Amino acid sequence: MPLILALDDPAKPLQEIVGRLCGVVDGFKVGVPLVVALGGRAVCRLRRLCPGALWIADMKLADIASTMILTASQLVDCVDAIIAHSIVGVKGALGELKEYLDRHNVKLILVVAMSHPGAVEVYNKLLEENIAVVRRVNAWGVVAPATMPEVVARVRRELPGKTILSPGVGVQGAKPGAALCAGADYEIVGRLIVEAEDPYREALKVLQMQREAAEKCAAKR
Amino acid sequence: MPLILALDDPAKPLQEIVGRLCGVVDGFKVGVPLVVALGGRAVCRLRRLCPGALWIADMKLADIASTMILTASQLVDCVDAIIAHSIVGVKGALGELKEYLDRHNVKLILVVAMSHPGAVEVYNKLLEENIAVVRRVNAWGVVAPATMPEVVARVRRELPGKTILSPGVGVQGAKPGAALCAGADYEIVGRLIVEAEDPYREALKVLQMQREAAEKCAAKR
């Protein structure tokens, strides 16, 4: 099942977790706190423990082109994809970033909507514009919140060819499998697994829940 | 004059630049690329070269609360202020971040509009909502683009008590002093100074241009 593990907290036993969950999850998403604490090269070191997985730098880039490219340049050698915010738009921002990432064979993933309650009042109001940005820069994937399955379903309808990654599963409240049923390709789980007493067992449990949910919604169709 | 130097490129002789410009500029704004390349502790080491200046971590935070707080926790010991994006909203995001920063005596600065051309189509459409977020979380300062003086003037009118910092001066096209005339408290200059053959002389030139522009617009009032 399509599960990506989010690694954000530098205080966790990251090497142990990556080693143990390699082959169990499809990929690893490393977040800003981890990169800030350990430096960008730490991502390369972690990757060596599971080189075949999908590695995503969740930098949540949201800046002018030159700054985003300078950040990306520290990471393109060790990840398959980088996450940026669609809300910064194309000209002088994501357009140039996409060209840069293409030259380095790194995929661009754009956040189109966020998973927390406050997003509704600001960020998510721009969903239509954000989807248009994804089309214009031809991003490989999009981030849409598992906590809002109706948003995932809309993104699936409007961006049929794009890979959808859905965070918000677990601690934030979405049940494993709910976003997959709404059309997501991957669910992203962080604290639920990372903070479990036994992350390996917890990941297997999440995978089982994803499988059951997927069977149920396939049966409904 | 109120000038903040933006440091983004880790390949530049940062220690030399900070040492030389300490006492010349009011503050230093360190960006994501630098922090990613060198790790968060590098900001503390740089600060020691000019402890009395205003040090700002321009992390452009735009995530859920727990992730932003985890990033901030790597930096609160060595900066006076941290920059986040107002577009992520209050609940589950900036509300909690603000409480965390308050407990650590670190100021919150929120981007309300961006300086590049693509911002107009997406980000800057939410200016009204973003200004409301600044009020609700009671941020200390806001970032508004020197390249769009009409936006700076509007933010000045609507947020009279807030400190306005304006990037986009120099390489991005705004002239030194233009944002100050529109109501900004600080202008942020990066590449124009950092990439100059003699950053010290270039900074003095910018300060002189700010002074002249400020005198001209004071005379007009």
Side-chain angles (χ1 to χ4, degrees), chain A residues 5-25:
Chain A
L5 185 66
L7 301 171
D8 285 303
D9 188 347
K12 292 281 178 287
L14 298 166
Q15 304 197 336
E16 197 188 313
I17 292 171
V18 171
R20 191 89 171 94
L21 291 186
C22 184
V24 176
V25 299

Side-chain angles (χ1 to χ4, degrees), chain B residues 36-50:
Chain B
V36 167
L38 307 176
R41 303 314 296 173
V43 181
C44 296
R45 291 193 295 274
L46 277 178
R47 181 175 200 151
R48 276 184 225 125
L49 302 170
C50 189

Side-chain angles (χ1 to χ4, degrees), chain B residues 1 11 54 81 101 105 109 149 168-170 181 187 189 202:
Chain B
M1 291 305 293
L54 179 70
L101 294 179
N105 279 313
I109 300 173
V169 179
C181 285
E187 289 183 333
V189 180
E202 192 66 35

Side-chain angles (χ1 to χ4, degrees), chain B residues 17 24 31 34 45 52 86 117 125 134 173 177 200:
Chain B
I17 292 172
V24 176
L34 192 153
R45 291 193 295 274
S86 53
K125 283 190 177 180
V134 172
Y200 178 75

Side-chain angles (χ1 to χ4, degrees), chain A residues 18 22 41-52 55 78:
Chain A
V18 171
C22 184
R41 303 313 296 171
V43 182
C44 296
R45 290 193 297 274
L46 277 179
R47 183 179 197 145
R48 275 183 225 125
L49 303 171
C50 189
W55 281 84
C78 26

Side-chain angles (χ1 to χ4, degrees), chain A residues 102-182:
Chain A
D102 280 352
R103 284 200 301 277
H104 290 82
N105 279 313
V106 170
K107 296 171 172 72
L108 176 62
I109 299 173
L110 294 178
V111 180
V112 292
M114 292 185 74
S115 56
H116 59 287
V120 179
E121 295 160 29
V122 201
Y123 200 107
N124 294 1
K125 282 189 177 180
L126 290 182
L127 183 55
E128 194 178 322
E129 286 85 347
N130 289 342
I131 288 173
V133 168
V134 172
R135 283 201 192 99
R136 279 177 64 196
V137 301
N138 193 20
W140 173 77
V142 297
V143 175
T147 48
M148 302 169 192
E150 70 290 355
V151 173
V152 175
R154 177 174 165 191
V155 173
R156 177 76 299 155
R157 275 195 312 277
E158 298 197 26
L159 298 169
K162 301 297 178 197
T163 302
I164 301 178
L165 303 98
S166 288
V169 178
V171 175
Q172 282 186 75
K175 292 264 173 295
L180 297 179
C181 286

Side-chain angles (χ1 to χ4, degrees), chain B residues 128-179:
Chain B
E128 195 179 320
E129 285 86 346
N130 290 342
I131 287 172
V133 168
V134 172
R135 281 201 194 101
R136 279 177 63 198
V137 301
N138 193 21
W140 174 76
V142 297
V143 175
T147 47
M148 303 171 190
E150 72 290 356
V151 173
V152 176
R154 176 173 166 192
V155 173
R156 178 75 300 154
R157 275 195 311 276
E158 298 197 25
L159 297 169
K162 302 296 177 197
T163 303
I164 301 178
L165 303 98
S166 288
V169 179
V171 174
Q172 282 186 74
K175 293 263 171 296

